[in-house]
Amino acid sequence: MKSVSLYLIIIFSLIQTLHSDKILAQTYTSNSNGNWNTASTWTITNTAGCGTPIPSTPPVQTNNRPCPIAVVINHNVAGPNDLTIGNNNLVSIAISSGRSLSINRDLLVTGYGNKSLTLSGAGNLEIGRDFTIAGNSNVNITGNLRVEITRRFEVTEAAQFESNGNIQMSARRITVNGNGSLIFNALNNTSFTTTNEDFNIQNGVNVLFAGTSSINSARDLIISGNTPTVIFEGSSTVSARDLTLSNGGNLSLSDNSTFTISRDLEIRDQFDLALADDAQATIERDLTLTNGAGLLLSNNSNVVVEDDLQMEDQASLTLSNASSLSVFDDTSLSNQSSITANGTAEISLGDELDMNNQTVLQLNGSSKTEVTGAVNIRGGADLRSTNSSSLILNSTLSLTGFGTTFTMDTNAEATISGNTSVGGGANVNLGNSSNLTLQGNLTFDNNFSTAWNSSSSSTVLVEGDFSKGANSNLNVNNTAIFEICNGSFPTDASDPRINVAPSPAYYGGCRVLPVEFLSFNATHQPTTNSALLSWSTAKEWENSHFEIERAVNSVKDWETIGQVDGSGYSEIPVKYSFNDTDLPISGGNIFYRLKQVDFSGKYSYSKTRAIQMKAIQSRHSWVAYPNPSARGTEINIDLLKPESYLDQKILITLSNSLGQAQSFSTSSPEQVSSIVSDWIRTSPSGLYILDITWGDQRQQLKLIRD
């Protein structure tokens, strides 16, 4: 009976094995450094059920193998010439840390049916020519693998690709070409680098970069064709020479992801780029949007354009929720393009703004916009400021052409520093408690259609002269105020085209602004690693003081870094200066503005100025600057590598050339600068040694006081 029972158990086990869906992979494990095609390189296991004969080396053509293939690289293995993962096959390759597999020519995953390649481990995979994934292929890369491809890496058709881990992939050229429904995911610190050519994403592909993953293209990143969808999130980064987005796709950045484009960004052909949740983009030359392209900024996102912004052919740019746009040079809009700022968004345009042919600049909510250069609105373009928005134009405003309008409504505020001209049938419309201050002259031409309409408790203050042609129109209605402060102006009685209702005011003589600026400049001083701010005023009235405000890499987050007393009352030019000796060690674009405060507490802002500085480089953890420094000035001691400080106690010792020393301890890296500055401020000129000890680390700095 026992033998019969044992026999039945064996038969039952065999039946279970034959019907089991789980098939162990035929495994090839390297046992020494060697060649892929040499049998002595491999130990073979798990061959049961994998057919006969069993290959003595891992197959290089895996079409329709009877069971999966697993290759374990524990040594340095050279060859084969080519490796093809073919029809209906599952292949895995694991490369141990410090080991390498080199394929002399191509690695190809292709063919019909389902194919799968899994790459894992922490070693190196070297491919002599191309790595191609095509068809219904599925490729997964995990671990800490480094993949070096001499020529091209291409993922195409309906393949699926995912890398997850500290994966580093490099190739001369990388192409992700959907031709259907390709899925491409790069997760958890995966990096892709093109060494000599472009990175292309195109044609119906879905791409996700997340978890600090990155693209580093030696040349261009091109995303185009048949509505690709590309997402960067979780502090992912892109670095490329040029970025081109075209043909109806979607690209989004979020969660602190960043773009750095060393030349131009071009968005065209109804492609949409969206930045949200602290995403940032820096374009070191031009940003161009054309042919229905869209750029959407929201939730503290930020775009910096270091040259020109050009928009044409129904392109759109929208900002909301504390997002910001900074353009260092010219901005132009043409052919029904538009910029819209909502909420607390901020726009800073560093030079001229030109709007033509039915374009729109729409300012809503509490948004703020500042333009440094001349503003030209023409050809039916429309400048609108509503809902408590703020507009500052630091130069001239020209409105020309029939259909061209400048509209202010619902508590909007605007200041124009230069002269304002309205002509060619252009219209200005102010209403609903909006306020406009014109610090220069106001001129209307002689066109019958040129018109200025003030109504509904709006206020206009003209500090220069007001002149108008006989045929242009000025209408002041519904408790509006139109005041000329000091200059000449025509009376409503002498000009039949000046229409003033009984209740509004149209007259000369009005309040004087507390300060009239003559100049404001910011200069970087590399030798002391500081910024010198200098400004002058022509006149001052009840001027209490100036607060110096600074922002780094965007104009959305300002901090007050100092204060300079004003002159109170002055009818002669007065010069001021402030030296910012505490520049951020990370470098970047540093913005400055002056907040002028009068005795009543009211305030206004100056123009914005900017400097550019490089990050301070050092192989040490601590850095001192400026160094050398002048006697009587402060010195900064900053921690360049915060990761080296783990909340330890910091011991500071400062010694002079006579061996005299002072010591102090602190638990805050931020206090080191103030402690050292207090010690050394009144000390004589000479050489000092600063010794800093924290945890088991120690560093010495030589400080020179002139």
Side-chain angles (χ1 to χ4, degrees), residues 294-500:
L295 175 57
L296 175 64
L297 312 179
S298 64
N299 297 337
N300 292 297
S301 60
N302 172 42
V303 170
V304 174
V305 182
E306 297 184 1
D307 209 329
D308 298 336
L309 168 61
Q310 302 172 22
M311 300 178 61
E312 58 186 24
D313 299 329
Q314 300 181 335
S316 64
L317 195 162
T318 304
L319 302 92
S320 61
N321 299 335
S323 59
S324 68
L325 169 68
S326 301
V327 181
F328 289 1
D329 289 329
D330 296 338
T331 299
S332 63
L333 285 74
S334 64
N335 299 331
Q336 303 180 44
S337 296
S338 65
I339 297 178
T340 303
N342 299 313
T344 56
E346 295 195 8
I347 299 174
S348 175
L349 306 181
D351 210 329
E352 294 186 359
L353 168 62
D354 184 81
M355 298 173 56
N356 185 28
N357 194 8
Q358 300 181 337
T359 54
V360 176
L361 174 57
Q362 175 77 55
L363 311 177
N364 301 320
S366 300
S367 63
K368 297 179 180 179
T369 297
E370 181 174 4
V371 185
T372 300
V375 177
N376 299 295
I377 315 295
R378 54 198 176 92
D382 190 1
L383 173 59
R384 307 171 189 165
S385 182
T386 65
N387 301 112
S388 302
S389 60
S390 172
L391 174 64
I392 299 174
L393 306 184
N394 291 315
S395 186
T396 59
L397 170 63
S398 173
L399 300 156
T400 57
F402 183 78
T404 299
T405 59
F406 174 28
T407 301
M408 296 182 61
D409 199 4
T410 316
N411 300 306
E413 299 271 351
T415 300
I416 303 172
S417 298
N419 297 329
T420 300
S421 61
V422 186
N427 281 202
V428 177
N429 303 296
L430 282 77
N432 293 327
S433 302
S434 57
N435 294 281
L436 173 61
T437 300
L438 306 179
Q439 296 178 347
N441 300 326
L442 173 62
T443 304
F444 296 175
D445 73 351
N446 200 34
N447 192 295
F448 281 98
S449 298
T450 299
W452 184 296
N453 304 298
S454 291
S455 63
S456 302
S457 301
S458 63
T459 300
V460 176
L461 304 179
V462 183
E463 297 182 11
D465 296 331
F466 171 39
S467 60
K468 63 180 294 296
N471 295 316
S472 56
N473 303 278
L474 172 64
N475 302 299
V476 185
N477 300 301
N478 306 118
T479 66
I481 297 175
F482 192 105
E483 304 180 33
I484 295 86
C485 297
N486 302 307
S488 60
F489 61 98
T491 64
D492 52 342
S494 65
D495 190 332
R497 290 189 173 273
I498 297 179
N499 302 302
V500 180

